[in-house]
Amino acid sequence: MCTFVIASDIDEHKHLLEVSKRGGPDFTRVSHYDECTVVHNLLHLTGEMTTQPFASAGIHYFLMGEVYNWDRENCLSELHFITKLHRKYGDQFIEHIEGEFLIIIINNHAQKFQIDFYTDPWSTRQLYYSPSWCFSTLPSKDSTRLLHNRKYKWKDNELHDLGKIYEWDLNQHKDNLDDITVGLENTIVSRWHEKSVLLLSGGVDSSAIAVCLQDHNLPTKIIHLNFGGVEDSLSLNQVVEYCSIHDFIELKIEEMPPEETLYKSVAKYVRALGCRVILSGNEADGVCENYRNKPRIISENFEEIRNSPRTKNQFKKFPEDLTTIFPWFHFEENNVRKICDNWETSFLYHGVEGRNCFLDKRLIQEFLWLKPELKNKRHKHFIKDYLEKRKLQLPNKRAGFRAQANRFLGLEASGGVYR
């Protein structure tokens, strides 16, 4: 996953440096510039080990996260790939990047010193800014979490928000699931790593990931969390029976800890298994569905975005004109932001990288292109269709880690939501 700290006075951030080191245990490099010092901590996972920065023509490149479409035949590493694209396309190079990333480019030889930051559509790799002239992966006491899908420039001792990188195409024109099915498989396969672990909940999202990896002969360890023994095994057993190449491990949670503690415990357990990558099906509910099957979470906000009368049938259906509701409440912010940040921060403490199989630009663009009748056919129709074509019939009810936690805490009957 890698971590970094950039500061004008690096000695003022000793605690931040110490904590950040946990997220990048393989190599630490300190680089001094005219106006700042950069400390980069490397977690090496992909390609030839490349310490950072990667220098080319007086420009220094840093990458936090993964570029999944890098040219493995002609480039030694993801950073080499980024450098070639930047030389060829200039500032538009980012349009050719697919992945979960924060890219930092430092030009120390321009007329004036500047740093460019590029975040992916959901800012899965965190970027915090402190007015005390510090940028970092982890927050400090006075720092602010910078936005997703953005380019920022630090120049003349000021931070400039240069706006969105990627604009979503909201033309709902595709009348079948062929392209999104290919996109789903490509997304999952691109995120697999030989030292990866999948968190399997029994819900359709993580089940689809396990099944896809089986179909592509990509074995992985699979951990299924069982909260106090209340896990519904019906869905899980179907997936276990289908998947013959995976190593299944049950991790029982006898007492429900706070969310942050749970995430850290999972990351610690994954490292103890000798693994470094956690695959998850997090946030298909938010990005693709705005939790429209969970009115207690989204009904008020979804109605306000649409500016429509308060009737359940209206806020639960995608309209013919997607611009009337986009971006919906949880597409980039709120629950998606909260869960993504909680997982990411927790993983950093144990040198584990999280890869989010449904926070993928190409896949979600395919979802947006689906005609409304395919979006509205049922909740997460394209994922359920993928499983059903493999003769897996998962129960049509709430499943997943949060549903287990609800039952464990006795909230399900009262309609409570474990947040």
Short mmCIF file of all heavy atoms in Angstrom, two decimals, residues 289-336:
data_model
loop_
_atom_site.label_atom_id
_atom_site.label_comp_id
_atom_site.label_asym_id
_atom_site.label_seq_id
_atom_site.Cartn_x
_atom_site.Cartn_y
_atom_site.Cartn_z
N GLU A 289 -25.97 1.13 -5.72
CA GLU A 289 -27.37 1.08 -5.34
C GLU A 289 -27.81 2.18 -4.39
O GLU A 289 -29.00 2.31 -4.11
CB GLU A 289 -27.66 -0.28 -4.67
CG GLU A 289 -27.42 -1.47 -5.58
CD GLU A 289 -28.49 -1.62 -6.66
OE1 GLU A 289 -29.55 -1.00 -6.53
OE2 GLU A 289 -28.24 -2.36 -7.63
N ASN A 290 -26.87 2.94 -3.84
CA ASN A 290 -27.20 3.97 -2.86
C ASN A 290 -28.00 3.41 -1.69
O ASN A 290 -28.84 4.09 -1.11
CB ASN A 290 -27.98 5.12 -3.51
CG ASN A 290 -27.94 6.39 -2.65
OD1 ASN A 290 -26.93 6.70 -2.05
ND2 ASN A 290 -29.06 7.10 -2.60
N TYR A 291 -27.74 2.13 -1.37
CA TYR A 291 -28.46 1.48 -0.26
C TYR A 291 -29.98 1.60 -0.44
O TYR A 291 -30.72 1.74 0.54
CB TYR A 291 -28.04 2.07 1.08
CG TYR A 291 -26.64 1.72 1.48
CD1 TYR A 291 -25.57 2.58 1.19
CD2 TYR A 291 -26.35 0.53 2.14
CE1 TYR A 291 -24.27 2.26 1.55
CE2 TYR A 291 -25.04 0.20 2.49
CZ TYR A 291 -24.02 1.07 2.20
OH TYR A 291 -22.73 0.76 2.54
N ARG A 292 -30.46 1.52 -1.67
CA ARG A 292 -31.89 1.75 -1.90
C ARG A 292 -32.76 0.64 -1.33
O ARG A 292 -33.97 0.79 -1.25
CB ARG A 292 -32.17 1.94 -3.39
CG ARG A 292 -31.86 0.75 -4.27
CD ARG A 292 -31.95 1.15 -5.74
NE ARG A 292 -31.58 0.04 -6.60
CZ ARG A 292 -32.36 -0.47 -7.54
NH1 ARG A 292 -33.57 0.03 -7.73
NH2 ARG A 292 -31.95 -1.47 -8.29
N ASN A 293 -32.16 -0.50 -0.93
CA ASN A 293 -32.95 -1.54 -0.26
C ASN A 293 -32.89 -1.38 1.26
O ASN A 293 -33.39 -2.23 1.99
CB ASN A 293 -32.44 -2.93 -0.66
CG ASN A 293 -31.05 -3.22 -0.11
OD1 ASN A 293 -30.24 -2.30 0.02
ND2 ASN A 293 -30.77 -4.47 0.20
N LYS A 294 -32.27 -0.31 1.72
CA LYS A 294 -32.17 -0.05 3.17
C LYS A 294 -32.64 1.37 3.44
O LYS A 294 -31.84 2.29 3.66
CB LYS A 294 -30.72 -0.24 3.64
CG LYS A 294 -30.17 -1.64 3.38
CD LYS A 294 -28.74 -1.74 3.87
CE LYS A 294 -28.17 -3.13 3.66
NZ LYS A 294 -28.02 -3.49 2.25
N PRO A 295 -33.96 1.61 3.41
CA PRO A 295 -34.49 2.99 3.50
C PRO A 295 -34.06 3.73 4.75
O PRO A 295 -33.98 4.95 4.74
CB PRO A 295 -36.00 2.77 3.48
CG PRO A 295 -36.18 1.46 2.80
CD PRO A 295 -35.02 0.62 3.21
N ARG A 296 -33.78 3.02 5.84
CA ARG A 296 -33.38 3.71 7.06
C ARG A 296 -32.06 4.45 6.88
O ARG A 296 -31.76 5.39 7.59
CB ARG A 296 -33.27 2.72 8.22
CG ARG A 296 -34.61 2.20 8.73
CD ARG A 296 -34.39 1.17 9.83
NE ARG A 296 -33.74 1.79 10.98
CZ ARG A 296 -34.39 2.35 11.99
NH1 ARG A 296 -35.71 2.39 11.97
NH2 ARG A 296 -33.74 2.87 13.02
N ILE A 297 -31.25 3.98 5.92
CA ILE A 297 -29.97 4.64 5.67
C ILE A 297 -30.12 5.77 4.66
O ILE A 297 -29.54 6.83 4.82
CB ILE A 297 -28.92 3.63 5.17
CG1 ILE A 297 -28.66 2.57 6.25
CG2 ILE A 297 -27.61 4.32 4.81
CD1 ILE A 297 -27.65 1.53 5.82
N ILE A 298 -30.89 5.54 3.58
CA ILE A 298 -30.79 6.47 2.46
C ILE A 298 -32.06 7.19 2.05
O ILE A 298 -32.00 8.08 1.22
CB ILE A 298 -30.23 5.76 1.20
CG1 ILE A 298 -31.18 4.66 0.73
CG2 ILE A 298 -28.86 5.22 1.43
CD1 ILE A 298 -32.19 5.06 -0.28
N SER A 299 -33.23 6.86 2.56
CA SER A 299 -34.45 7.36 1.94
C SER A 299 -34.51 8.89 1.91
O SER A 299 -34.79 9.49 0.87
CB SER A 299 -35.67 6.81 2.66
OG SER A 299 -35.65 7.19 4.03
N GLU A 300 -34.23 9.54 3.02
CA GLU A 300 -34.32 10.99 3.05
C GLU A 300 -33.36 11.63 2.06
O GLU A 300 -33.71 12.51 1.29
CB GLU A 300 -34.03 11.50 4.46
CG GLU A 300 -35.12 11.17 5.46
CD GLU A 300 -36.45 11.82 5.10
OE1 GLU A 300 -36.44 12.98 4.64
OE2 GLU A 300 -37.49 11.16 5.26
N ASN A 301 -32.11 11.18 2.05
CA ASN A 301 -31.10 11.79 1.20
C ASN A 301 -31.38 11.54 -0.28
O ASN A 301 -31.22 12.42 -1.11
CB ASN A 301 -29.72 11.24 1.56
CG ASN A 301 -29.38 11.56 3.00
OD1 ASN A 301 -29.24 12.70 3.37
ND2 ASN A 301 -29.27 10.52 3.82
N PHE A 302 -31.81 10.33 -0.61
CA PHE A 302 -32.08 10.03 -2.01
C PHE A 302 -33.25 10.86 -2.51
O PHE A 302 -33.23 11.36 -3.63
CB PHE A 302 -32.37 8.54 -2.15
CG PHE A 302 -32.09 7.99 -3.52
CD1 PHE A 302 -30.80 7.89 -3.99
CD2 PHE A 302 -33.12 7.57 -4.34
CE1 PHE A 302 -30.55 7.37 -5.24
CE2 PHE A 302 -32.88 7.05 -5.60
CZ PHE A 302 -31.58 6.95 -6.05
N GLU A 303 -34.24 11.06 -1.71
CA GLU A 303 -35.38 11.88 -2.10
C GLU A 303 -34.95 13.33 -2.31
O GLU A 303 -35.38 13.99 -3.25
CB GLU A 303 -36.47 11.81 -1.04
CG GLU A 303 -37.20 10.48 -1.00
CD GLU A 303 -38.06 10.33 0.22
OE1 GLU A 303 -38.12 11.27 1.03
OE2 GLU A 303 -38.64 9.26 0.38
N GLU A 304 -34.11 13.83 -1.44
CA GLU A 304 -33.68 15.22 -1.56
C GLU A 304 -32.86 15.44 -2.82
O GLU A 304 -33.02 16.45 -3.50
CB GLU A 304 -32.85 15.61 -0.34
CG GLU A 304 -33.68 15.76 0.93
CD GLU A 304 -32.83 15.94 2.16
OE1 GLU A 304 -31.60 16.10 2.02
OE2 GLU A 304 -33.39 15.92 3.26
N ILE A 305 -32.00 14.47 -3.17
CA ILE A 305 -31.22 14.60 -4.39
C ILE A 305 -32.13 14.65 -5.61
O ILE A 305 -31.95 15.44 -6.54
CB ILE A 305 -30.22 13.43 -4.52
CG1 ILE A 305 -29.14 13.55 -3.44
CG2 ILE A 305 -29.56 13.42 -5.89
CD1 ILE A 305 -28.24 12.35 -3.36
N ARG A 306 -33.16 13.81 -5.61
CA ARG A 306 -34.07 13.76 -6.75
C ARG A 306 -35.07 14.91 -6.73
O ARG A 306 -35.70 15.19 -7.75
CB ARG A 306 -34.84 12.44 -6.75
CG ARG A 306 -34.00 11.23 -7.13
CD ARG A 306 -34.88 10.06 -7.47
NE ARG A 306 -35.73 10.38 -8.60
CZ ARG A 306 -36.70 9.60 -9.05
NH1 ARG A 306 -36.95 8.46 -8.47
NH2 ARG A 306 -37.43 9.94 -10.08
N ASN A 307 -35.23 15.52 -5.55
CA ASN A 307 -36.22 16.59 -5.41
C ASN A 307 -37.60 16.12 -5.87
O ASN A 307 -38.30 16.78 -6.63
CB ASN A 307 -35.79 17.83 -6.22
CG ASN A 307 -36.61 19.05 -5.83
OD1 ASN A 307 -37.10 19.13 -4.71
ND2 ASN A 307 -36.74 19.98 -6.76
N SER A 308 -37.98 14.91 -5.43
CA SER A 308 -39.22 14.30 -5.87
C SER A 308 -40.15 14.07 -4.68
O SER A 308 -39.72 14.13 -3.53
CB SER A 308 -38.93 12.96 -6.55
OG SER A 308 -38.30 12.09 -5.65
N PRO A 309 -41.42 13.82 -4.93
CA PRO A 309 -42.36 13.54 -3.82
C PRO A 309 -41.90 12.35 -3.00
O PRO A 309 -41.22 11.46 -3.49
CB PRO A 309 -43.68 13.24 -4.56
CG PRO A 309 -43.53 13.90 -5.88
CD PRO A 309 -42.08 13.81 -6.23
N ARG A 310 -42.31 12.30 -1.76
CA ARG A 310 -41.84 11.27 -0.85
C ARG A 310 -42.68 10.00 -0.99
O ARG A 310 -43.54 9.72 -0.16
CB ARG A 310 -41.87 11.78 0.57
CG ARG A 310 -40.90 12.92 0.80
CD ARG A 310 -40.82 13.29 2.26
NE ARG A 310 -39.79 14.28 2.49
CZ ARG A 310 -39.41 14.67 3.69
NH1 ARG A 310 -39.96 14.14 4.76
NH2 ARG A 310 -38.47 15.59 3.82
N THR A 311 -42.43 9.26 -2.04
CA THR A 311 -43.08 7.97 -2.22
C THR A 311 -42.00 6.93 -2.41
O THR A 311 -41.03 7.13 -3.11
CB THR A 311 -44.01 7.97 -3.44
OG1 THR A 311 -43.24 8.23 -4.61
CG2 THR A 311 -45.09 9.02 -3.31
N LYS A 312 -42.18 5.78 -1.79
CA LYS A 312 -41.14 4.75 -1.81
C LYS A 312 -40.82 4.29 -3.22
O LYS A 312 -39.67 4.04 -3.57
CB LYS A 312 -41.56 3.57 -0.93
CG LYS A 312 -41.59 3.90 0.55
CD LYS A 312 -41.93 2.67 1.37
CE LYS A 312 -41.91 2.98 2.85
NZ LYS A 312 -42.24 1.80 3.68
N ASN A 313 -41.84 4.15 -4.06
CA ASN A 313 -41.59 3.65 -5.41
C ASN A 313 -40.67 4.57 -6.19
O ASN A 313 -39.87 4.12 -7.01
CB ASN A 313 -42.91 3.49 -6.17
CG ASN A 313 -43.72 2.33 -5.63
OD1 ASN A 313 -43.17 1.38 -5.08
ND2 ASN A 313 -45.04 2.41 -5.79
N GLN A 314 -40.75 5.86 -5.94
CA GLN A 314 -39.92 6.79 -6.71
C GLN A 314 -38.47 6.76 -6.25
O GLN A 314 -37.58 6.70 -7.07
CB GLN A 314 -40.50 8.20 -6.60
CG GLN A 314 -41.77 8.37 -7.42
CD GLN A 314 -42.27 9.78 -7.39
OE1 GLN A 314 -42.22 10.45 -6.37
NE2 GLN A 314 -42.77 10.26 -8.51
N PHE A 315 -38.22 6.81 -4.95
CA PHE A 315 -36.82 6.90 -4.56
C PHE A 315 -36.10 5.58 -4.71
O PHE A 315 -34.89 5.53 -4.71
CB PHE A 315 -36.66 7.50 -3.16
CG PHE A 315 -36.91 6.58 -2.00
CD1 PHE A 315 -36.02 5.56 -1.69
CD2 PHE A 315 -38.01 6.76 -1.19
CE1 PHE A 315 -36.24 4.74 -0.59
CE2 PHE A 315 -38.23 5.95 -0.10
CZ PHE A 315 -37.35 4.94 0.20
N LYS A 316 -36.83 4.47 -4.86
CA LYS A 316 -36.17 3.18 -5.00
C LYS A 316 -35.84 2.83 -6.45
O LYS A 316 -35.20 1.84 -6.71
CB LYS A 316 -37.04 2.07 -4.39
CG LYS A 316 -37.01 2.07 -2.86
CD LYS A 316 -37.68 0.84 -2.32
CE LYS A 316 -37.56 0.78 -0.81
NZ LYS A 316 -38.18 -0.44 -0.25
N LYS A 317 -36.31 3.62 -7.39
CA LYS A 317 -36.07 3.30 -8.80
C LYS A 317 -35.12 4.31 -9.44
O LYS A 317 -35.19 5.51 -9.17
CB LYS A 317 -37.40 3.29 -9.57
CG LYS A 317 -38.27 2.09 -9.26
CD LYS A 317 -39.50 2.08 -10.16
CE LYS A 317 -40.35 0.85 -9.87
NZ LYS A 317 -41.55 0.79 -10.75
N PHE A 318 -34.25 3.80 -10.30
CA PHE A 318 -33.42 4.70 -11.09
C PHE A 318 -34.27 5.30 -12.19
O PHE A 318 -35.02 4.60 -12.87
CB PHE A 318 -32.24 3.94 -11.70
CG PHE A 318 -31.18 3.57 -10.70
CD1 PHE A 318 -31.19 2.34 -10.07
CD2 PHE A 318 -30.17 4.46 -10.40
CE1 PHE A 318 -30.22 2.00 -9.14
CE2 PHE A 318 -29.19 4.13 -9.47
CZ PHE A 318 -29.22 2.90 -8.85
N PRO A 319 -34.15 6.61 -12.43
CA PRO A 319 -34.99 7.29 -13.43
C PRO A 319 -34.42 7.17 -14.84
O PRO A 319 -33.29 6.73 -15.04
CB PRO A 319 -34.96 8.75 -12.96
CG PRO A 319 -33.58 8.88 -12.36
CD PRO A 319 -33.29 7.55 -11.69
N GLU A 320 -35.22 7.58 -15.81
CA GLU A 320 -34.76 7.60 -17.21
C GLU A 320 -33.64 8.61 -17.39
O GLU A 320 -32.73 8.41 -18.20
CB GLU A 320 -35.92 7.94 -18.14
CG GLU A 320 -36.99 6.87 -18.22
CD GLU A 320 -36.49 5.59 -18.87
OE1 GLU A 320 -35.58 5.67 -19.72
OE2 GLU A 320 -37.00 4.51 -18.50
N ASP A 321 -33.68 9.70 -16.65
CA ASP A 321 -32.64 10.72 -16.71
C ASP A 321 -31.79 10.62 -15.45
O ASP A 321 -32.19 11.07 -14.37
CB ASP A 321 -33.27 12.12 -16.82
CG ASP A 321 -32.22 13.21 -16.94
OD1 ASP A 321 -31.01 12.90 -16.94
OD2 ASP A 321 -32.62 14.40 -17.01
N LEU A 322 -30.62 10.03 -15.59
CA LEU A 322 -29.78 9.76 -14.42
C LEU A 322 -29.23 11.04 -13.80
O LEU A 322 -28.85 11.07 -12.63
CB LEU A 322 -28.63 8.83 -14.83
CG LEU A 322 -28.01 7.95 -13.74
CD1 LEU A 322 -29.08 7.08 -13.09
CD2 LEU A 322 -26.91 7.07 -14.33
N THR A 323 -29.19 12.11 -14.59
CA THR A 323 -28.65 13.37 -14.07
C THR A 323 -29.49 13.94 -12.93
O THR A 323 -29.02 14.76 -12.15
CB THR A 323 -28.53 14.43 -15.18
OG1 THR A 323 -29.84 14.76 -15.67
CG2 THR A 323 -27.68 13.93 -16.33
N THR A 324 -30.74 13.49 -12.81
CA THR A 324 -31.62 14.02 -11.76
C THR A 324 -31.26 13.51 -10.37
O THR A 324 -31.72 14.07 -9.37
CB THR A 324 -33.09 13.67 -12.05
OG1 THR A 324 -33.24 12.25 -12.07
CG2 THR A 324 -33.54 14.26 -13.37
N ILE A 325 -30.46 12.44 -10.29
CA ILE A 325 -30.09 11.90 -8.98
C ILE A 325 -28.59 11.75 -8.78
O ILE A 325 -28.13 11.42 -7.70
CB ILE A 325 -30.75 10.53 -8.73
CG1 ILE A 325 -30.20 9.48 -9.70
CG2 ILE A 325 -32.26 10.63 -8.80
CD1 ILE A 325 -30.56 8.05 -9.34
N PHE A 326 -27.80 11.99 -9.82
CA PHE A 326 -26.36 11.69 -9.74
C PHE A 326 -25.57 12.95 -9.37
O PHE A 326 -25.85 14.03 -9.88
CB PHE A 326 -25.87 11.15 -11.09
CG PHE A 326 -24.46 10.67 -11.06
CD1 PHE A 326 -24.15 9.39 -10.63
CD2 PHE A 326 -23.41 11.50 -11.43
CE1 PHE A 326 -22.84 8.94 -10.58
CE2 PHE A 326 -22.10 11.07 -11.39
CZ PHE A 326 -21.81 9.79 -10.96
N PRO A 327 -24.54 12.79 -8.54
CA PRO A 327 -24.16 11.59 -7.81
C PRO A 327 -25.06 11.39 -6.59
O PRO A 327 -25.34 12.34 -5.87
CB PRO A 327 -22.72 11.85 -7.38
CG PRO A 327 -22.66 13.34 -7.23
CD PRO A 327 -23.58 13.89 -8.28
N TRP A 328 -25.53 10.17 -6.39
CA TRP A 328 -26.38 9.91 -5.23
C TRP A 328 -25.57 9.97 -3.95
O TRP A 328 -24.35 10.00 -3.95
CB TRP A 328 -27.13 8.60 -5.36
CG TRP A 328 -26.36 7.46 -5.96
CD1 TRP A 328 -25.53 6.59 -5.32
CD2 TRP A 328 -26.39 7.06 -7.33
NE1 TRP A 328 -25.02 5.67 -6.20
CE2 TRP A 328 -25.53 5.93 -7.45
CE3 TRP A 328 -27.03 7.52 -8.48
CZ2 TRP A 328 -25.32 5.28 -8.66
CZ3 TRP A 328 -26.82 6.87 -9.69
CH2 TRP A 328 -25.97 5.76 -9.76
N PHE A 329 -26.29 9.96 -2.85
CA PHE A 329 -25.73 10.31 -1.54
C PHE A 329 -24.49 9.48 -1.19
O PHE A 329 -23.52 10.00 -0.63
CB PHE A 329 -26.82 10.12 -0.48
CG PHE A 329 -26.45 10.61 0.88
CD1 PHE A 329 -26.20 11.95 1.12
CD2 PHE A 329 -26.37 9.73 1.96
CE1 PHE A 329 -25.88 12.42 2.38
CE2 PHE A 329 -26.05 10.18 3.23
CZ PHE A 329 -25.81 11.52 3.44
N HIS A 330 -24.52 8.18 -1.50
CA HIS A 330 -23.42 7.31 -1.09
C HIS A 330 -22.47 6.95 -2.25
O HIS A 330 -21.63 6.07 -2.09
CB HIS A 330 -23.98 6.01 -0.51
CG HIS A 330 -24.71 6.20 0.79
ND1 HIS A 330 -24.06 6.51 1.97
CD2 HIS A 330 -26.02 6.13 1.09
CE1 HIS A 330 -24.96 6.61 2.94
NE2 HIS A 330 -26.15 6.39 2.43
N PHE A 331 -22.60 7.59 -3.40
CA PHE A 331 -21.76 7.20 -4.55
C PHE A 331 -20.29 7.45 -4.28
O PHE A 331 -19.43 6.61 -4.59
CB PHE A 331 -22.20 7.97 -5.80
CG PHE A 331 -21.45 7.56 -7.05
CD1 PHE A 331 -21.80 6.42 -7.74
CD2 PHE A 331 -20.38 8.32 -7.52
CE1 PHE A 331 -21.12 6.03 -8.88
CE2 PHE A 331 -19.68 7.95 -8.65
CZ PHE A 331 -20.06 6.80 -9.34
N GLU A 332 -19.96 8.60 -3.72
CA GLU A 332 -18.56 8.94 -3.45
C GLU A 332 -18.30 9.27 -1.98
O GLU A 332 -17.16 9.22 -1.53
CB GLU A 332 -18.15 10.16 -4.30
CG GLU A 332 -18.31 9.94 -5.79
CD GLU A 332 -18.42 11.26 -6.54
OE1 GLU A 332 -19.15 12.16 -6.07
OE2 GLU A 332 -17.80 11.39 -7.60
N GLU A 333 -19.35 9.62 -1.27
CA GLU A 333 -19.18 10.13 0.09
C GLU A 333 -19.92 9.25 1.09
O GLU A 333 -20.35 8.15 0.80
CB GLU A 333 -19.69 11.58 0.16
CG GLU A 333 -18.88 12.55 -0.68
CD GLU A 333 -17.50 12.82 -0.11
OE1 GLU A 333 -17.25 12.47 1.05
OE2 GLU A 333 -16.67 13.40 -0.82
N ASN A 334 -20.06 9.77 2.32
CA ASN A 334 -20.90 9.18 3.36
C ASN A 334 -20.49 7.75 3.68
O ASN A 334 -19.36 7.52 4.05
CB ASN A 334 -22.36 9.35 2.96
CG ASN A 334 -22.68 10.82 2.76
OD1 ASN A 334 -22.56 11.62 3.68
ND2 ASN A 334 -23.03 11.19 1.54
N ASN A 335 -21.38 6.75 3.55
CA ASN A 335 -21.03 5.40 3.98
C ASN A 335 -19.84 4.85 3.20
O ASN A 335 -18.98 4.15 3.75
CB ASN A 335 -22.23 4.46 3.84
CG ASN A 335 -22.57 3.78 5.15
OD1 ASN A 335 -22.48 4.38 6.21
ND2 ASN A 335 -22.94 2.52 5.08
N VAL A 336 -19.78 5.12 1.89
CA VAL A 336 -18.66 4.65 1.08
C VAL A 336 -17.35 5.24 1.59
O VAL A 336 -16.36 4.54 1.78
CB VAL A 336 -18.87 5.02 -0.40
CG1 VAL A 336 -17.61 4.77 -1.22
CG2 VAL A 336 -20.03 4.21 -0.97
#
